[in-house]
Amino acid sequence: MRTTVSAALLALLLVVPLLHARGQASTLPLPPSGVLGVGEAQMTPAFWIGLQAQPDKVILDRSQIQAQNAALFARDGSMHELRKLPATLSATQVRGWIEGLARPPTRPLYDVEGKPVPAARLEAIADARALDTVPASQKTRFGMVVRRAALRSFPTTLRVFSEPGDSDIDRFQETAEFPGTPVLIAHASRDGRWLFVVSPRYAAWTEAANIAEGSRADVLAYADKAPYRIVTGAKVYTVFTREAPAVSQVELDMGTRVPVLTDLPPDQPVNGQTPYAAHVIELPVRKADGSLAFSPALIQKNADTAADYLPLTPRNLITQAFKFLGERYGWGHAYDGRDCSGFVSDVYRSMGVQMPRNTSSQGMSPAFAKQAFAKGSAHQQRLRAAQGLQLGDLVYIPGHVMLSLGQWRGQPWVIHDVLGMSYRTADGATRHVKLNAVSVTPLLPMLAGKDSTFIDHMTSIVRMRP
């Protein structure tokens, strides 16, 4: 036992020199995991909070966040302010949303078993969109998400992949929306089992069973109901109830806002259970005819929720981000998890900050303060920017985003939902560590190709601060 412990400590303390792109060298400890510089201490929020000079200083106050959110919906074309959509939709608008989401596949795709998906099946999936049935004009219809709902490129549950053996990144998976999210219902699939919906930050297909259709007033009023609870845990679940299956063990992800019911007698059971040790919330449910109704549900008082959005402070940023540490990477919120852009947006959403869904939109949004980099930006300019990263800054490279934890040991560190980490060792070899989870890593050593680092591919740094 003593020999094993000694060997582990020796490996943790071993300092391995790294050769960065452009000849820069640095050293970091190499723990048994292979993730440079990250020991047990660095995988705790307390470590990073301890590096903050003012961990409880407010970075953006509520009025500043509200102003930024308003600017986001006003200026960012990837966002949809449902209240301002017209009462009537044209065929041009609806077809534009559907065809703008995804083109019919033309390259080979593979199923979960690595077998090619027949071209005829792909054609049938594209045809299921029923574009020929889009009316010249239609009344705008509204609905609400009633359970964690996958949003898809096409009206199908078929999972498809670019390469045989690659069963993680489903090319038809776009994102997910959470219970209580308002949507515009724009179109139905040919068989009626799928709806094309427009949420505040996405437009895609989802199964009709995920959506309850209601009046414009009822749908849009839900988001303004008060008092409310904010889900501050990675996810919480409503209490099991045999009496009301539609609101039993409903998953609510970080940042979800749910109204609290205050007009029910406190000494009377709710869904077969006393409510005194729980918050009585209101959730949308789908009736048998597909219409919207609302039902009381319970969240235990010891669940990770708050009476309002958390203050945007260094302590809360770190604490919220680390609640996802170790969660498996889920492209488009698959695997009941999230991907890199979903991770950072859910963290910020728990503090009331709204963000676009995808990295490309987040990194270039006109509503955010940022430093952008052109393809020709010099390595030294990028390096200086990386060395100036502060906690909470968002670092974008094509297809990926990282949340900065600030500076330690003279270089920047990040927490991100990432597939893997590659770096170059002292002998010039390249080592790859498969992560596939929310992970803490140093930024500078991470390779994006054979001869370039992540920072050489930075497209922007977004700063959620004044």
Side-chain angles (χ1 to χ4, degrees):
M1 178 65 73
R2 182 174 295 175
T3 302
T4 302
V5 172
S6 298
L9 288 174
L10 180 62
L12 182 63
L13 297 173
L14 179 63
V15 175
V16 179
L18 302 175
L19 301 178
H20 292 280
R22 315 298 176 94
Q24 289 192 319
S26 68
T27 59
L28 285 173
L30 178 63
S33 67
V35 182
L36 292 163
V38 180
E40 290 298 319
Q42 289 72 47
M43 289 189 283
T44 66
F47 175 86
W48 301 98
I49 292 171
L51 298 180
Q52 305 302 311
Q54 296 178 290
D56 297 310
K57 180 180 180 180
V58 173
I59 300 170
L60 289 175
D61 63 27
R62 181 56 56 84
S63 64
Q64 290 172 312
I65 291 173
Q66 290 173 341
Q68 180 173 281
N69 290 344
L72 178 68
F73 279 93
R75 301 173 58 193
D76 193 313
S78 71
M79 306 294 288
H80 311 107
E81 190 163 5
L82 301 189
R83 298 176 188 274
K84 294 186 177 180
L85 289 174
T88 302
L89 298 177
S90 68
T92 300
Q93 176 69 81
V94 173
R95 291 178 66 100
W97 279 326
I98 297 172
E99 295 180 303
L101 174 64
R103 296 179 180 274
T106 56
R107 56 187 176 85
L109 293 172
Y110 303 86
D111 63 19
V112 291
E113 297 177 350
K115 298 177 181 178
V117 179
R121 183 165 188 193
L122 294 175
E123 291 172 3
I125 288 171
D127 178 70
R129 298 177 299 169
L131 294 176
D132 55 306
T133 69
V134 177
S137 66
Q138 60 177 296
K139 181 182 177 181
T140 302
R141 299 156 55 200
F142 289 86
M144 189 170 290
V145 177
V146 297
R147 61 189 184 191
R148 198 181 202 269
L151 268 60
R152 309 279 290 167
S153 310
F154 296 93
T156 179
T157 58
L158 176 68
R159 301 178 69 229
V160 298
F161 310 94
S162 297
E163 302 289 341
D166 169 18
S167 58
D168 274 333
I169 300 181
D170 175 2
R171 295 302 175 180
F172 285 171
Q173 178 71 13
E174 294 288 335
T175 185
E177 288 291 5
F178 308 134
T181 302
V183 297
L184 177 150
I185 301 172
H187 191 48
S189 62
R190 202 171 295 282
D191 62 7
R193 296 173 58 186
W194 291 78
L195 297 175
F196 191 90
V197 299
V198 180
S199 78
R201 61 178 189 166
Y202 222 79
W205 293 94
T206 193
E207 292 180 270
N210 296 331
I211 305 297
E213 184 170 356
S215 69
R216 180 185 189 277
D218 285 346
V219 168
L220 297 182
Y222 183 84
D224 296 327
K225 290 183 177 181
Y228 52 84
R229 301 295 297 179
I230 303 298
V231 175
T232 48
K235 57 186 68 174
V236 303
Y237 296 85
T238 59
V239 172
F240 170 82
T241 169
R242 177 180 57 80
E243 293 80 359
V247 293
S248 177
Q249 295 185 308
V250 175
E251 179 182 328
L252 303 171
D253 288 69
M254 182 181 286
T256 301
R257 170 176 165 159
V258 289
V260 173
L261 296 174
T262 58
D263 57 352
L264 298 179
D267 60 345
Q268 296 299 310
V270 174
N271 301 336
Q273 176 183 328
T274 174
Y276 98 101
H279 301 289
V280 184
I281 64 169
E282 184 179 54
L283 287 180
V285 295
R286 188 176 193 269
K287 296 166 67 175
D289 63 357
S291 63
L292 175 65
F294 296 96
S295 172
L298 299 177
I299 295 179
Q300 293 173 219
K301 285 190 175 178
N302 61 2
D304 196 346
T305 70
D308 204 350
Y309 292 104
L310 299 174
L312 179 49
T313 64
R315 184 188 304 276
N316 285 336
L317 269 173
I318 294 168
T319 300
Q320 293 303 98
F322 271 78
K323 288 177 182 178
F324 291 115
L325 185 70
E327 180 184 78
R328 179 164 179 152
Y329 180 91
W331 171 265
H333 275 65
Y335 299 150
D336 205 26
R338 63 218 78 238
D339 54 25
C340 61
S341 54
F343 161 65
V344 299
S345 63
D346 286 357
V347 168
Y348 269 106
R349 195 163 62 112
S350 68
M351 286 161 272
V353 178
Q354 297 296 321
M355 297 183 67
R357 173 60 183 88
N358 291 337
T359 54
S360 56
S361 299
Q362 290 178 4
M364 299 308 295
S365 177
F368 299 151
K370 58 185 169 296
Q371 179 180 1
F373 301 93
K375 288 186 178 180
S377 296
H379 175 79
Q380 288 303 316
Q381 176 193 0
R382 296 169 180 272
L383 182 60
R384 284 194 298 272
Q387 291 173 333
L389 285 169
Q390 297 181 35
L391 172 70
D393 290 347
L394 299 173
V395 185
Y396 291 87
I397 66 174
H400 189 53
V401 58
M402 299 158 277
L403 176 65
S404 170
L405 289 170
Q407 307 289 322
W408 179 57
R409 284 187 167 167
Q411 63 177 297
W413 294 75
V414 293
I415 182 170
H416 49 149
D417 208 344
V418 63
L419 295 175
M421 176 184 185
S422 295
Y423 54 88
R424 190 169 293 117
T425 58
D427 61 3
T430 299
R431 180 173 181 180
H432 179 76
V433 180
K434 184 172 183 177
L435 298 173
N436 214 23
V438 176
S439 308
V440 174
T441 70
L443 174 59
L444 297 186
M446 296 191 71
L447 296 175
K450 182 179 179 181
D451 298 311
S452 62
T453 63
F454 270 32
I455 67 168
D456 290 313
H457 291 265
M458 286 193 306
T459 55
S460 66
I461 296 172
V462 167
R463 298 183 174 90
M464 298 293 183
R465 45 186 153 94

